[in-house]
Amino acid sequence: MVLGNSRIITSNQNGLHEQLDEVVLKHLKHRFQKPYQKHTLDAFKACEKWVEQQNKPIIFDSCCGVGESTYHLALRHPEAIVLGLDKSADRLSKHGIEAADNYRLLQVNLNDFWRLALDAGWHLSHHYLLYPNPWPKAKHLQRRWHGSAVFPAIIALGGELELRSNWFTYIKEFARALELAGQSSQIQEYQAAKAITPFERKYWASGQASLQLKASLK
């Protein structure tokens, strides 16, 4: 990933999506029942026993990409286990970091994995969504996590939720979706001495700021 050449995200919508409330409220009222994909079901079953044997707090690093953030989060939370989750086997294959004993990387469909975790009775201590694709075109609202049918599962998993993005509308829409679900959140500009994801490093080198959302899900 070349540093300093990240384009600024542009969108054909101004401010929050005009259908945001309608879409979020619809998903909050209806259970998402799409069948699970086999590869995600198999991945969940393969790690479920390990997770339960650890008997430690569970942390999700969703949309983890190459898993750099997963490694750093595992070091930050030695008392917990961290699952780095991403849909791309190619990205995960580029991890290239010596593994710590308290994290695993899994190639999964998050729409399925989050619901499987709920079915298994898991409750997270922390949930990180660091720089996922925001789908900035207005017609793609329901591809953004807060506009998708799986959004209620994010809330039900609980824990300390943290999002970061270089597209501020994404963060502000997520905060509104949480508000509609009866959850409070805090937004602030995010800065750190060291980047923990390639995207973060690239955005900062390109002069782009990051916005952070935090919420204690209940």
Side-chain angles (χ1 to χ4, degrees), residues 125-141:
S125 66
H126 295 76
H127 193 174
Y128 293 91
L129 276 162
L130 307 180
Y131 306 96
N133 187 348
W135 293 99
K137 292 183 179 180
K139 66 180 181 180
H140 291 153
L141 169 64

Side-chain angles (χ1 to χ4, degrees), residues 74-86:
L75 296 182
R76 184 183 301 176
H77 297 281
E79 79 291 349
I81 55 172
V82 184
L83 297 181
L85 311 170
D86 200 89

Side-chain angles (χ1 to χ4, degrees), residues 145-163:
W145 290 128
H146 52 274
S148 71
V150 80
F151 178 65
I154 298 176
I155 297 172
L157 283 167
E160 299 298 318
L161 177 68
E162 182 172 339
L163 280 79

Side-chain angles (χ1 to χ4, degrees), residues 98-138:
E98 183 178 352
D101 61 5
N102 66 326
Y103 80 91
R104 297 284 188 276
L105 300 179
L106 301 172
Q107 190 258 320
V108 297
N109 181 319
L110 286 169
N111 290 282
D112 296 346
F113 197 90
W114 289 337
R115 291 183 293 145
L116 286 165
L118 279 177
D119 291 346
W122 292 6
H123 188 278
L124 306 182
S125 66
H126 295 76
H127 193 174
Y128 293 91
L129 276 162
L130 307 180
Y131 306 96
N133 187 348
W135 293 99
K137 292 183 179 180

Side-chain angles (χ1 to χ4, degrees), residues 29-186:
K29 292 177 182 177
H30 299 94
R31 181 178 174 83
F32 186 26
Q33 295 182 318
K34 186 178 180 179
Y36 299 131
Q37 293 181 357
K38 186 178 185 301
H39 82 278
T40 299
L41 185 58
D42 291 344
F44 184 83
K45 289 180 178 178
C47 81
E48 184 177 17
K49 182 176 288 187
W50 176 76
V51 170
E52 293 176 351
Q53 287 174 341
Q54 298 301 305
N55 194 29
K56 293 179 179 179
I58 304 170
I59 295 174
F60 281 1
D61 181 21
S62 296
C63 306
C64 70
V66 298
E68 181 181 348
S69 54
T70 311
Y71 170 77
H72 287 290
L73 292 171
L75 296 182
R76 184 183 301 176
H77 297 281
E79 79 291 349
I81 55 172
V82 184
L83 297 181
L85 311 170
D86 200 89
K87 67 180 181 180
S88 171
D90 180 62
R91 284 194 290 264
L92 292 171
S93 70
K94 298 175 182 177
H95 182 52
I97 299 176
E98 183 178 352
D101 61 5
N102 66 326
Y103 80 91
R104 297 284 188 276
L105 300 179
L106 301 172
Q107 190 258 320
V108 297
N109 181 319
L110 286 169
N111 290 282
D112 296 346
F113 197 90
W114 289 337
R115 291 183 293 145
L116 286 165
L118 279 177
D119 291 346
W122 292 6
H123 188 278
L124 306 182
S125 66
H126 295 76
H127 193 174
Y128 293 91
L129 276 162
L130 307 180
Y131 306 96
N133 187 348
W135 293 99
K137 292 183 179 180
K139 66 180 181 180
H140 291 153
L141 169 64
Q142 295 193 62
R143 297 187 186 184
R144 303 170 198 164
W145 290 128
H146 52 274
S148 71
V150 80
F151 178 65
I154 298 176
I155 297 172
L157 283 167
E160 299 298 318
L161 177 68
E162 182 172 339
L163 280 79
R164 298 177 202 160
S165 180
N166 64 326
W167 189 41
F168 289 11
T169 298
Y170 180 87
I171 294 291
K172 293 174 182 177
E173 282 191 350
F174 207 108
R176 174 56 182 165
L178 287 173
E179 182 182 4
L180 292 170
Q183 306 283 335
S184 60
S185 62
Q186 301 79 43

